[in-house]
């Protein structure tokens, strides 16, 4: 009978009987989580991913008896083709993965180095996806087997929303429920108004624009149904605060930045104004030079690389717009890594020196 694999530093505890299993040396885990990505842009990869995503009650909260027949019978028959075609436009063919996965790996490498420089080998940093791979369950399993008896969990969403932050937490807690020896856990708070985060955003604006100032800066956030706001979700307010703080840091006039919402899905009323309609309206009113930034996304993904730099750009130019500048997400920018390292350090307080 084969023996179970153990971490290389596993050993039998002092004074334990000879038949006591070897245990890994205690570590502290830091787990960052992003939304997710399909494994490929083919039909079945897209269908698996969309099924997991759109079956999440945090994302679509309609009763299952009402929603699942629509999802399984109509949406998942057609949407994998259109979504797959959009992913093909931005796919990292060299690595055969989505840009979100590539950027998350780059971000992870920098965070691992920052953690090693600061805390040595006491802290293990890894990443997971809420939907797709690597799954939250698989990475929590790996951390526990490596000896992590405490884990700090950091969802990669600056603003809180039930459909992003809360569902990432849900999945993390589900993974903890399966552990025989459950680690202690801390969940980092949203960082939408941290001064260092606002500074990193402002620097990205200044760097991309190179001293030029567009007629309008559009801060486009992922949308959600208006109903969620009235049910207590703070996302809308946090988005507006991020925009306000960014404008104040840039020193721009009050009407220089517009907050809008993208990625509308379904027939329900969503948060307004809709980005795709708003940029077209700007162009029709003679505002022909704009820049667009996406403060709700920590890494460029299908919603930024294809939707903003594709569909939304086309809507603006089709209505007469001439100058359209997309300001990339913070991705693995050093200032962003410093922000995330700061958030992690604060939530490791008392666990490491």
């Amino acid at each position: 009978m084969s023996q179970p694999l153990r971490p290389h530093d596993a050993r039998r505890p002092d004074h334990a009987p000879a038949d006591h299993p070897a245990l890994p040396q205690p570590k502290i885990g830091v787990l960052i989580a992003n939304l997710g990505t399909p494994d490929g842009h083919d039909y079945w990869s897209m269908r698996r991913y969309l099924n997991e995503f759109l079956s999440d009650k945090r994302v679509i909260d309609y009763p299952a008896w009402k929603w699942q027949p629509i999802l399984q019978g109509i949406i998942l028959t057609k949407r994998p083709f259109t979504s797959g075609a959009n992913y093909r436009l931005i796919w990292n063919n060299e690595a055969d993965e989505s840009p979100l996965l590539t950027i998350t790996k780059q971000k992870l490498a920098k965070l691992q180095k920052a953690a090693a420089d600061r805390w040595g080998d006491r802290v293990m940093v890894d990443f997971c996806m809420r939907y797709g791979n690597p799954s939250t369950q698989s990475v929590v399993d790996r951390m526990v087997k490596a000896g992590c008896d405490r884990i700090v969990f950091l969802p990669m969403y600056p603003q809180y929303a039930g459909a992003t932050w809360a569902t990432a937490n849900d999945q993390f807690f589900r993974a903890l429920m399966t552990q025989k020896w459950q680690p202690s856990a801390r969940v980092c708070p949203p960082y939408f108004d941290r001064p260092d985060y606002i500074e990193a955003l402002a620097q990205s604006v200044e760097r991309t624009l190179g001293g030029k100032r567009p007629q309008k800066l559009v801060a486009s956030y992922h949308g959600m149904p208006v109903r969620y706001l009235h049910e207590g979700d703070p996302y809308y307010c946090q988005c507006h605060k991020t925009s306000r703080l960014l404008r104040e840091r840039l020193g721009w006039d009050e009407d220089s930045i517009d907050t809008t919402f993208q990625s509308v899905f379904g027939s329900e009323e969503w948060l307004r104004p809709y980005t795709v309609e708003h940029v077209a309206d700007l162009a029709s009113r003679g505002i022909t030079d704009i820049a667009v930034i996406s403060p709700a996304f920590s890494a460029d993904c299908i919603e930024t690389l294809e939707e903003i730099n594709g569909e939304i750009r086309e809507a603006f130019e089709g209505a007469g717009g001439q100058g359209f500048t997309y300001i990339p997400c913070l991705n693995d920018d050093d200032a962003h890594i410093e922000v995330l390292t700061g958030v992690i350090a604060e939530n490791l307080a008392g666990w490491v020196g």
Side-chain angles (χ1 to χ4, degrees), residues 71-140:
L71 176 63
Q72 303 298 329
I74 301 174
I75 295 174
L76 292 181
T77 299
K78 298 180 179 180
R79 186 153 179 165
F81 289 111
T82 56
S83 295
N86 290 336
Y87 267 98
R88 276 194 293 276
L89 296 173
I90 65 167
W91 200 253
N92 181 348
N93 292 310
E94 183 177 350
D96 192 23
E97 62 190 21
S98 72
L100 175 65
L101 183 55
T102 300
I103 293 167
T104 303
K105 288 177 179 178
Q106 294 167 343
K107 190 186 305 181
L108 175 69
K110 288 191 174 183
L111 286 172
Q112 287 174 330
K113 183 180 185 306
D117 291 345
R118 192 162 183 170
W119 301 295
D121 61 0
R122 292 176 296 166
V123 175
M124 173 184 178
V125 185
D126 211 335
F127 82 97
C128 66
M129 296 293 184
R130 169 60 183 90
Y131 315 106
N133 296 304
S135 68
T136 306
Q137 182 72 61
S138 67
V139 182
V140 169

Side-chain angles (χ1 to χ4, degrees), residues 275-348:
T275 305
V276 67
E277 295 178 356
H278 186 72
V279 298
D281 180 63
L282 289 176
S284 69
R285 292 191 283 114
I287 298 176
T288 59
D289 180 27
I290 67 171
V292 181
I293 189 171
S294 302
F297 298 96
S298 68
D300 277 305
C301 54
I302 190 75
E303 287 87 356
T304 63
L305 298 174
E306 192 283 324
E307 186 178 0
I308 290 181
N309 226 3
E311 176 189 355
I312 291 170
R313 176 191 288 270
E314 290 170 3
F316 177 69
E317 294 175 347
Q322 299 172 7
F324 184 101
T325 302
Y326 172 62
I327 299 170
C329 294
L330 294 178
N331 296 325
D332 67 336
D333 182 79
D334 288 344
H336 192 203
I337 299 303
E338 289 183 12
V339 173
L340 299 177
T341 303
V343 172
I344 291 167
E346 290 172 9
N347 286 274
L348 285 174

Side-chain angles (χ1 to χ4, degrees), residues 263-274:
S263 308
V264 176
F265 178 80
S267 59
E268 237 185 307
E269 181 73 7
W270 281 44
L271 298 175
R272 287 185 179 270
Y274 299 156

Side-chain angles (χ1 to χ4, degrees), residues 27-310:
K27 294 182 180 65
I28 297 171
V30 173
L31 181 55
I32 63 173
N34 221 319
L35 180 74
T37 174
D39 295 326
H41 48 67
D42 60 283
Y43 175 84
W44 289 109
S45 293
M46 291 304 311
R47 185 180 176 108
R48 284 193 300 271
Y49 173 71
L50 290 171
N51 184 46
E52 184 180 11
F53 174 45
L54 296 176
S55 293
D56 185 353
K57 295 287 286 185
R58 289 280 194 179
V59 176
I60 307 291
D61 64 355
Y62 301 148
W65 65 265
K66 178 180 181 180
W67 173 241
Q68 282 299 319
I70 299 172
L71 176 63
Q72 303 298 329
I74 301 174
I75 295 174
L76 292 181
T77 299
K78 298 180 179 180
R79 186 153 179 165
F81 289 111
T82 56
S83 295
N86 290 336
Y87 267 98
R88 276 194 293 276
L89 296 173
I90 65 167
W91 200 253
N92 181 348
N93 292 310
E94 183 177 350
D96 192 23
E97 62 190 21
S98 72
L100 175 65
L101 183 55
T102 300
I103 293 167
T104 303
K105 288 177 179 178
Q106 294 167 343
K107 190 186 305 181
L108 175 69
K110 288 191 174 183
L111 286 172
Q112 287 174 330
K113 183 180 185 306
D117 291 345
R118 192 162 183 170
W119 301 295
D121 61 0
R122 292 176 296 166
V123 175
M124 173 184 178
V125 185
D126 211 335
F127 82 97
C128 66
M129 296 293 184
R130 169 60 183 90
Y131 315 106
N133 296 304
S135 68
T136 306
Q137 182 72 61
S138 67
V139 182
V140 169
D141 288 347
R142 182 162 65 241
M143 286 186 149
V144 171
K145 289 177 182 177
C148 294
D149 58 5
R150 287 165 287 180
I151 298 177
V152 167
F153 186 65
L154 174 56
M156 292 281 96
Y157 316 105
Q159 298 82 18
Y160 175 95
T164 55
W165 196 280
T167 191
N169 289 340
D170 291 345
Q171 199 72 350
F172 175 55
F173 299 145
R174 290 188 194 102
L176 293 180
M177 288 171 64
T178 68
Q179 305 304 319
K180 184 67 69 176
W181 188 347
Q182 190 179 71
S184 299
R186 291 176 178 173
V187 176
C188 301
Y191 54 95
F192 66 97
D193 59 353
R194 284 178 62 99
D196 52 0
Y197 166 66
I198 299 301
E199 179 64 25
L201 283 178
Q203 289 179 13
S204 74
V205 172
E206 293 167 341
R207 181 171 57 250
T208 302
L209 297 181
K212 298 179 182 179
R213 182 167 165 180
Q215 291 173 276
K216 186 76 72 171
L217 175 62
V218 177
S220 180
Y221 298 81
H222 198 287
M224 73 176 187
V226 173
R227 173 170 54 85
Y228 291 11
L229 168 64
H230 296 303
E231 291 172 350
D233 195 304
Y235 178 70
Y236 177 82
C237 300
Q238 293 185 2
C239 291
H240 274 276
K241 186 172 184 180
T242 296
S243 295
R244 175 177 62 79
L245 292 174
L246 174 60
R247 178 186 59 77
E248 292 174 353
R249 159 57 182 81
L250 290 170
W252 292 4
D253 299 334
E254 286 193 15
D255 63 349
S256 60
I257 298 180
D258 291 347
T259 295
T260 63
F261 300 90
Q262 64 182 87
S263 308
V264 176
F265 178 80
S267 59
E268 237 185 307
E269 181 73 7
W270 281 44
L271 298 175
R272 287 185 179 270
Y274 299 156
T275 305
V276 67
E277 295 178 356
H278 186 72
V279 298
D281 180 63
L282 289 176
S284 69
R285 292 191 283 114
I287 298 176
T288 59
D289 180 27
I290 67 171
V292 181
I293 189 171
S294 302
F297 298 96
S298 68
D300 277 305
C301 54
I302 190 75
E303 287 87 356
T304 63
L305 298 174
E306 192 283 324
E307 186 178 0
I308 290 181
N309 226 3

